[in-house]
């Protein structure tokens, strides 16, 4: 799992308030003094738990990745490799739609816990990518997908999903959430068919 700092009960409260502020006002809404005030800490006491604002944002992002892993872990992915990969990608898009500000923090904001491609991914440090890579590798082994670099394939799908979600948040795609998910599914399937045998 993703973690940045040891989570004490007070640190957990700080994290919860910071996340609420993020989800209601974006990254700019998260600052140390208001977070401390919201849980009854002095302005200086919060720094015993998170040394600075960046550390707090890193912890919120790490919690978001843990949540995404949880979303994926609660679902059963049955069927052939293509079907399962499409379901994983849909969960990823659903998570983004449900948590727009958190999604932006996780994937578009620099933070110290961010996994870097390719080294961190190929070392298995991304639980979200690991699941998709296992499916792609299995598809390649069974002859469903053409032989290729499974890590690059998964990273491309992740980048594509992130791009679609951010374009949607930016008002560049005129669709309901349901229509948007269908658009993503069609795009993912077209891309996926490029590696099908």
């Amino acid at each position: 799992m993703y973690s940045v700092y040891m989570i004490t009960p007070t640190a957990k409260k700080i994290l919860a308030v910071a996340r609420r502020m993020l989800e209601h006002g974006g990254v700019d809404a998260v600052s140390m003094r208001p977070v401390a005030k919201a849980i009854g800490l002095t302005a200086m006491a919060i720094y015993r738990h998170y040394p600075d604002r960046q550390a707090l944002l890193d912890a919120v992002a790490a919690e978001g990745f843990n949540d995404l892993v949880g979303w994926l872990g609660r679902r059963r992915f049955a069927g052939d490799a293509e079907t399962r990969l499409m379901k994983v990608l849909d969960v990823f898009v659903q998570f983004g739609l449900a948590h727009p500000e958190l999604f932006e923090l996780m994937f578009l904001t620099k933070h110290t816990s961010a996994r870097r491609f390719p080294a961190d991914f190929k070392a298995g440090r991304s639980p979200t990518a690991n699941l998709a890579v296992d499916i792609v590798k299995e598809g390649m082994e069974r002859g469903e997908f053409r032989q290729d670099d499974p890590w690059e394939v998964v990273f491309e799908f992740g980048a594509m999903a992130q791009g679609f979600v951010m374009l949607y948040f930016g008002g560049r795609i005129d669709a309901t959430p349901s229509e948007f998910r269908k658009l993503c599914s069609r795009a993912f399937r077209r891309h996926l068919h490029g590696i099908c045998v």
Side-chain angles (χ1 to χ4, degrees):
M1 289 294 155
Y2 294 86
S3 64
V4 181
Y5 300 98
M6 190 173 102
I7 301 292
T8 64
T10 302
K12 201 169 186 174
K13 288 179 188 174
I14 294 167
L15 196 55
V17 169
R19 182 162 171 176
R20 277 197 305 274
M21 288 180 172
L22 171 80
E23 291 184 341
H24 288 99
V27 173
D28 292 340
V30 181
S31 58
M32 300 299 270
R33 285 178 185 273
V35 170
K37 185 177 179 182
I39 62 167
L41 289 177
T42 65
M44 293 310 294
I46 194 172
Y47 292 98
R48 287 199 293 266
H49 302 279
Y50 297 98
D52 54 32
R53 180 177 180 269
Q54 186 60 55
L56 180 56
L57 289 172
D58 289 350
V60 173
E63 183 181 60
F65 280 107
N66 287 335
D67 287 356
L68 178 53
V69 170
W71 274 50
L72 290 164
R74 285 191 295 274
R75 287 157 173 83
R76 292 179 52 90
F77 300 107
D80 60 15
E82 178 176 339
T83 300
R84 284 182 289 138
L85 185 59
M86 292 298 292
K87 288 178 181 177
V88 167
L89 290 165
D90 186 53
V91 170
F92 187 84
V93 171
Q94 287 180 59
F95 182 86
L97 292 173
H99 303 285
E101 300 295 347
L102 179 61
F103 191 88
E104 186 173 347
L105 173 68
M106 290 164 60
F107 293 105
L108 291 178
T109 305
K110 286 187 179 183
H111 47 92
T112 58
S113 62
R115 306 308 189 247
R116 291 178 175 250
F117 185 83
D120 289 334
F121 285 76
K122 291 187 176 184
R125 294 188 188 112
S126 173
T128 52
N130 292 344
L131 173 63
V133 163
D134 289 345
I135 294 169
V136 170
K137 284 180 178 177
E138 183 184 317
M140 289 177 182
E141 288 166 7
R142 291 185 175 183
E144 294 176 56
F145 301 151
R146 191 178 65 240
Q147 291 299 311
D148 206 322
D149 183 324
W151 291 103
E152 287 188 6
V153 169
V154 167
F155 191 75
E156 288 164 13
F157 272 114
M160 189 175 181
Q162 291 161 30
F164 266 88
V165 171
M166 297 317 299
L167 285 168
Y168 187 67
F169 292 160
R172 302 302 197 278
I173 299 173
D174 184 17
T176 65
S178 176
E179 290 168 344
F180 173 67
R181 284 174 58 199
K182 289 175 184 173
L183 170 65
C184 289
S185 180
R186 291 193 301 272
F188 296 149
R189 200 171 296 281
R190 276 192 291 269
H191 188 70
L192 184 57
H193 288 171
I195 65 163
C196 286
V197 173

